[in-house]
Amino acid sequence: MGAEAVRTETDDDAGRRRERRGWYFYDWACSVYSTTVLTVFLGPYLTDVAETAADAQGYVHPLGIPVRAGSYFAYSVSLSVIVAILFMPLAAATADRTGRRKPLLALAAYLGAAATTGMFFLSGDRYLLGGLLLIVANASLAVSTVLYNAFLPSIARPEERDAISSRGWAFGYTSGALVLLANLALYLRHEDLGVSEGTAVRICLASAGLWWGAFTVIPLRRLRDRRAPAAEAGTAVGGGWRQLVATVRDMRRRPLTLAFLLAYLVYNDGVQTVISQASVYGSEELGLDQSTLIVAVLLVQVLAVAGALGMGRLARSHGAKRTILASLVVWTLILGAGYFLPAGAPVFFFLLAAGIGLVLGGTQALSRSLFSHLVPPGKEAEYFSAYELSDRGMSWLGPLIFGLTYQLTGSYRDAILSLVAFFAIGFVLLARVPVRRAVLDAGNPVPERI
């Protein structure tokens, strides 16, 4: 009996390690979308397409609504988040009720990959096509990430989650850097290759979709679905939205988990807006060319790998909460410095990118692992749906404020400064959360450092 127990434990450990390796590869697969598409190419390119379609006053008119061409990308990001809000809770409830996370992950991932690949056809004045593809791809990424994150409690013990979550982010930033390096080579040599600048950008956009779809195969082969209780199986389709209401009610009985989510909602809104709008700020306000922006984002990607792993080590000695709080102070300083950046000075922009890279991966990775301790056992996908609503799903306010500030003032500097409030308020809210008590209230063991 003892030997059998040892063998079973060893088999479980081996299976869990195999799942972890597959789990890392979804970060590897989908992160190129965030880097190549959302952070570097699509913002400036879609803005140019909108400006081509704009009237004499600089406005486009989607559905008859006057929108300044420079705000169109930010508004499209906000709308994509609202669409994601409609689908993420249903996907999460279905996953928890049926235990079939992998088929739902596959559906969301390949829908997003197809929309991203379709950006190859974005040219001329097709700003409406660009907005539609962005909405589909962004919403699909959000839904797939809910399901992906929900695997974390199943493949990692409580004391392992900071390191494993940080490693996943490091995988993502590494792949983002590799693909972006290839994109940079294509973009810089597009004339030698006989393609126009616009065609080179469209190839780079499509390459992110192809990469996303190709490497999603690995987690789909290695991750395992866990069976749902028999009483819950088969009721997901009819009960998905009822389950969402039940999840919200359940979270109200865990106010400390809800308090963490509120803090994360606020400061991560700032993080996501910086990621999506930095290239627009660099190109439109600072007058930097596309190659400079690509190099800056490459710098972010490389340093984000070190930052994610380094902050993971800091969390082991100082706790995840304190490490996240320190990163929010750095984010605030970065935005303050960004406001005063001189135009046409790439060196200062590179220094700012270095600062972002050092805190970006760690802030996201440690937030994910910290939240995993606050999830009641058996409700991973439902709670990570709420987490993803706070991550990408509720990150509509930052781009909206950014776009509105620009629309009202005509200044991207004022727009970037408006994001400081998200980090300052998020810091105060997170500092007030007693995380050890929150872990106990969720019914989980408390790690030595948290």
Side-chain angles (χ1 to χ4, degrees):
M1 180 67 69
E4 182 179 350
V6 171
R7 185 172 64 253
T8 300
E9 182 177 355
T10 303
D11 291 344
D12 287 346
D13 289 342
R16 195 179 291 116
R17 283 195 298 271
R18 185 176 188 276
E19 285 191 272
R20 286 176 196 163
R21 289 191 290 268
W23 187 79
Y24 296 146
F25 268 94
Y26 192 67
D27 258 319
W28 176 276
C30 70
S31 291
V32 297
Y33 169 83
S34 298
T35 303
T36 292
V37 177
L38 202 59
T39 304
V40 177
F41 286 107
L42 188 58
Y45 185 71
L46 184 55
T47 300
D48 286 344
V49 171
E51 288 172 349
T52 300
D55 59 20
Q57 287 73 42
Y59 286 83
V60 291
H61 299 269
L63 303 178
I65 302 170
V67 173
R68 189 188 288 264
S71 297
Y72 180 71
F73 174 68
Y75 289 156
S76 296
V77 172
S78 290
L79 184 56
S80 74
V81 172
I82 294 171
V83 172
I85 290 172
L86 299 177
F87 288 96
M88 284 191 296
L90 180 60
T94 302
D96 276 344
R97 284 180 169 276
T98 65
R100 293 175 60 81
R101 291 174 188 159
K102 285 205 311 183
L104 294 169
L105 174 61
L107 176 62
Y110 283 110
L111 181 60
T116 306
T117 305
M119 291 177 186
F120 178 79
F121 301 101
L122 176 59
S123 62
D125 60 356
R126 300 176 182 172
Y127 76 97
L128 287 175
L129 174 64
L132 176 62
L133 293 175
L134 169 60
I135 290 166
V136 173
N138 244 21
S140 297
L141 179 65
V143 172
S144 69
T145 306
V146 169
L147 303 163
Y148 161 69
N149 285 340
F151 280 100
L152 180 59
S154 302
I155 64 174
R157 297 185 180 92
E159 67 275 9
E160 300 171 324
R161 292 178 194 168
D162 286 346
I164 290 172
S165 182
S166 297
R167 204 169 296 140
W169 281 107
F171 261 65
Y173 286 117
T174 301
S175 76
L178 290 174
V179 174
L180 196 56
L181 190 60
N183 293 152
L184 176 61
L186 170 63
Y187 183 80
L188 293 179
R189 299 191 57 196
H190 66 85
E191 291 183 356
D192 296 336
L193 296 172
V195 298
S196 67
E197 181 179 349
T199 301
V201 170
R202 292 189 290 116
I203 291 172
C204 292
L205 293 172
S207 71
L210 295 173
W211 180 282
W212 184 0
F215 283 100
T216 294
V217 172
I218 298 176
L220 293 179
R221 287 178 64 87
R222 295 198 171 191
L223 291 170
R224 297 191 291 120
D225 278 332
R226 271 74 176 175
R227 290 186 178 180
E232 294 184 355
T235 63
V237 175
W241 290 106
R242 289 193 298 273
Q243 182 60 50
L244 171 61
V245 174
T247 301
V248 172
R249 289 175 179 167
D250 188 68
M251 291 186 68
R252 290 176 62 186
R253 294 197 294 270
R254 294 176 173 83
L256 297 181
T257 298
L258 204 56
F260 172 82
L261 271 180
L262 177 61
Y264 181 69
L265 180 155
V266 174
Y267 71 73
N268 187 66
D269 204 343
V271 171
Q272 296 298 324
T273 307
V274 172
I275 292 172
S276 66
Q277 305 302 321
S279 59
V280 176
Y281 181 71
S283 63
E284 300 295 326
E285 183 68 35
L286 302 182
L288 303 176
D289 59 32
Q290 191 74 65
S291 59
T292 299
L293 296 176
I294 295 173
V295 172
V297 174
L298 271 172
L299 182 61
V300 170
Q301 296 298 112
V302 172
L303 291 178
V305 175
L309 297 176
M311 286 180 64
R313 293 190 183 95
L314 284 175
R316 288 201 292 270
S317 57
H318 298 285
K321 177 184 172 181
R322 289 182 179 178
T323 307
I324 294 170
L325 288 172
S327 77
L328 298 183
V329 174
V330 176
W331 275 108
T332 303
L333 295 175
I334 287 171
L335 287 178
Y339 178 82
F340 295 103
L341 280 186
V347 172
F348 291 104
F349 192 71
F350 290 152
L351 290 174
L352 195 72
I356 291 174
L358 289 174
V359 292
L360 176 61
T363 303
Q364 295 174 316
L366 293 179
S367 296
R368 177 170 66 184
S369 61
L370 179 56
F371 181 71
S372 73
H373 295 286
L374 310 182
V375 177
K379 297 186 177 182
E380 291 83 5
E382 292 174 29
Y383 271 63
F384 268 109
S385 173
Y387 176 85
E388 194 65 19
L389 286 172
S390 300
D391 187 347
R392 290 178 178 88
M394 287 302 290
S395 296
W396 57 269
L397 185 59
L400 180 62
I401 288 178
F402 186 95
L404 283 173
T405 303
Y406 175 76
Q407 179 142 342
L408 294 173
T409 67
S411 169
Y412 283 106
R413 293 185 187 274
D414 292 339
I416 205 73
L417 192 63
S418 69
L419 303 180
V420 169
F422 290 93
F423 296 101
I425 296 171
F427 180 97
V428 173
L429 293 175
L430 179 59
R432 293 168 58 88
V433 179
V435 292
R436 287 185 172 275
R437 185 148 55 91
V439 174
L440 288 173
D441 287 351
N444 293 318
V446 181
E448 182 179 351
R449 292 284 185 182
I450 193 168

